[in-house]
Structures are given as structure tokens and as C-alpha cells.
Amino acid sequence: MVVLLAPSILLLGVFLLYPLVGSFRLSLLDWNGLGNGARYAGLANWVHLSHDAVFWQALRNNLLLALFSVVIQLPIALVLAVMLDKAGKGSRVLKLLYFLPLLMSSVAIGVLFKNVYDPNFGPLNVGLRAIGLDRFAQDWLGDPSFSLASTIAVICWQNIPFYMILFLAGLASFPVELSEAARLDGASESTIFWRIKLPHLQGTIRTAMLLAVLGSLRYFDLVFVMTGGGPEHASELMATYMYNKVFSSFQLGYGSTIASAMFLIVALVAAAAMRATQRYSQKV
């Protein structure tokens, strides 16, 4: 058994444990990442992080992204999954169309929506002006009041298909006999969904919520392409802040501190979620 697990353990150590330990080690240094000028700083980076208003703003934005991912993505994905499940074989084309955003590169989506949100020539503002709603036209990515909401909307659009497929898989495992028996007893379609199908999906919904929250806490690519964390850190996430500190400000030690803090936060949230899930499963 040990021999069979050895390759997996080796890969886990090389690609997960070693970088993780290295990141914590770098967080104790004051270093720009170039040359041999690394200086031991102890816990100075961690103390600075605890007073860094931008980091706390980034964490707040990550938590907002997690909240809206659960509140927006999952209900819409569930509705689409139920509709496609009822449509049967005729829904194959619709499934493909709904799934397309997930097949697109995040970079391509970011560039696409940067053009959509363009304040002067973007289709969104042009359309609003064309129907006489000029007052609603905004600098969607350049205004701190709208930049985070605008990026969250695109993130939801991209990721809803993933959860839709997840819920479709859960619905596909639902025994048809239960629905038929309920109909024979006079139950309506809405009663069947709320009283039978939705409880059947509880495990799938908990899994989807966990994936949405953890994914939101470490999100990076689309926000980086669209706003880079700006303007004025309004759409800053922990990952974009870490990237900017390392590759723009050349503060490798402090950037590693942010990365290590991200790991601790995600690990704590994952552990708490798993514990809550296990308790709920035992009660049910």
C-alpha cells in the first residue's frame, strides 16, 4: 500500500508542501526577490499585514464575492438545471449554449467585458443611451462605486454553468419512481420539487456552496484582467494584491506573507465548512 501511494505522496510534497513551507519562510524576510539582499525580518511582515487597510479591504471584497457567488450563482444555476431537466432530450442544444461561458478563457472573457463596459464605446452604455437611459450610463470599471459589482456580475455569468451541470447531475440521480408515486398520490409538480427533489439535492447544494466560497476566496484571473484590483483598490482581492506586491512593487517577502495569510484563511474556512457539513449530515 505504501509503495502504491508513494508517487502521489511525492507529487503532493513537491508541488504543495514544499511551496507552502517556502512561502512561510519567505514571509519572514525583507527581500525584493532579486540578488542576495534578503534580510531576516521576523514577524515584521505579519505585523504590517495586520495593520494593512488595503489587505482588509481585499479580504472584504473576497467575502462579498463569496456571498454573491452563493446568493446569485447557485439559485440561477438550480433554476436552469430544473428547466433543462424537465426539457429532456430536447435540451441538448440549450445545455451547450449555457455551458459556453465556462469553456471560454478567463482572459478572453475579461478582455471581452472590458470592451462591453467601455464608458464611451461599450455596447452597454451605447445601448442605454440609445433607449434614452443616459443617466444610467456609467464608467463601470473606472468608478470605485461600480467596479466591484461589475466584475462580480461577470464572474457569476462565467461560473453559473458549472453549478448548473452539478445540479443536473444531482437531478439525474433522482429516482423517477418517486415522482411517479407522488403524482399518483395527487402531488403537484411544485410540491414534488420542494418536498422531494430539493431535499434529494441537499448534498449537492452543500458541495456547491463549499466550492463557491472557497473559489471566491482565492479568485484572481478575471479581476486582474478587467481592473487589476483598481480603481483605488475598490475591486482588490487578496490574490491580486499579492500579485501586485510581488511583481509590481517587488516586495517578495510581504507578498509571501499575503499568500500565506490567504492559505490560512482558506484552510480555516474549509475546515469550518467541512465540520458544519458533517454535523448537519449526522443530524439529518
Side-chain angles (χ1 to χ4, degrees), residues 57-76:
Q57 172 70 20
L59 176 58
R60 173 183 171 274
N61 290 343
N62 275 109
L63 294 175
L64 285 174
L65 175 57
L67 173 64
F68 285 109
S69 294
V70 172
V71 172
I72 296 176
Q73 292 182 35
L74 301 193
I76 295 177

Side-chain angles (χ1 to χ4, degrees), residues 2 7 12 15 26 30 32 37 39 61 74-76 93-94 99 104-106 115 134 139 142 165 183 216 227-228 271:
V2 176
L12 185 66
F15 293 105
L26 289 173
D30 180 10
N32 62 5
R39 182 178 64 86
N61 290 343
L74 301 193
I76 295 177
V93 176
L94 291 176
F99 198 66
M104 296 174 64
S105 163
S106 294
N115 291 315
D134 301 60
D139 185 0
I165 295 298
R183 290 191 186 95
S216 298
T227 66

